[in-house]
Amino acid sequence: MNRRAMMLSVFAVAVVTFAASAWFTTRPASVVVTATVPPEQSEALLRPCSPILGPKEASGSVVEFFDPACKACCGLYPVVKYIMAEHRDAVRVAIRYTPFHGEVSEEAIRVLEADRMQDVFEPVMEALLREQPRWASHGTPAPGLMRENAAAAGLDVEAARTQTLFPGTMGVINQDRADVETMGVRQTPASFVNGGSLDPFGEAEMRALVAEEVAASYS
């Protein structure tokens, strides 16, 4: 290679390196923007009847609009668990039922409410999410399979047969359905951190905002 060709080669590499470096330092950062829930929606965000994971008095509050038949909700759950483990007793997660998948979602919610009455809500929810591809794959309720999964996680199936039919269970579903409309939730999962919605919504953004809120509570 002659001297001129070598110099051109070095120059080309330098240009590419400079361009890559400039892109890296000036590329748009992932910014968490929160929109605070307006006062007229604050009551609809969280109800006293909503299931709570973690200590109720925790300073960091996550409200998740959740469909047990939703694949994305299933995918987000390990992230939620990681956030709770990372911040220990400083974070609580409230579950709002969002039965967007129709009858199969409602049947799963009935089972979850029976679990809650029996104080086995969290382990049974995890079992249903783990087995979600089996009972939710065709959008048709499979109460026998759901209850089989739930029983393996601690549900008293015989007691649940009555509990899933309690008027209060349908009352929770109807209240959450009405609140979903009020909040304008159109897809799941949809999460709110300390009364603010995430934009953009993602694992990194959710973790960053929860960490910020928890840190602020200690300052």
Side-chain angles (χ1 to χ4, degrees), residues 171-187:
V172 170
I173 294 173
N174 288 339
Q175 180 65 72
D176 280 12
R177 184 182 283 113
D179 289 341
V180 164
E181 288 296 318
T182 300
M183 296 299 301
V185 173
R186 295 290 176 265
Q187 62 183 15

Side-chain angles (χ1 to χ4, degrees), residues 53-120:
L53 306 178
K56 292 184 178 181
E57 67 279 4
S59 56
S61 175
V62 177
V63 177
E64 182 184 345
F65 285 82
F66 164 86
D67 185 336
C70 163
K71 290 181 181 179
C73 292
C74 186
L76 181 65
Y77 185 68
V79 176
V80 171
K81 290 285 290 182
Y82 180 87
I83 289 172
M84 293 180 67
E86 184 177 27
H87 297 287
R88 300 183 182 275
D89 294 337
V91 174
R92 65 188 174 111
V93 177
I95 302 295
R96 302 305 309 273
Y97 298 128
T98 315
F100 283 165
H101 288 74
E103 195 176 351
V104 67
S105 299
E106 288 198 15
E107 183 60 36
I109 291 169
R110 292 177 195 274
V111 172
L112 287 175
E113 280 299 285
D115 305 332
R116 187 149 66 117
M117 295 176 203
Q118 297 182 27
D119 293 324
V120 289

Side-chain angles (χ1 to χ4, degrees), residues 3 34 38 64 74-75 99 126 131-133 141 146 164 168 182 184 200:
R3 181 180 176 84
T34 61
E64 182 184 345
C74 186
E126 291 180 356
E131 299 295 333
Q132 188 195 76
M146 289 180 194
T164 55
T182 300

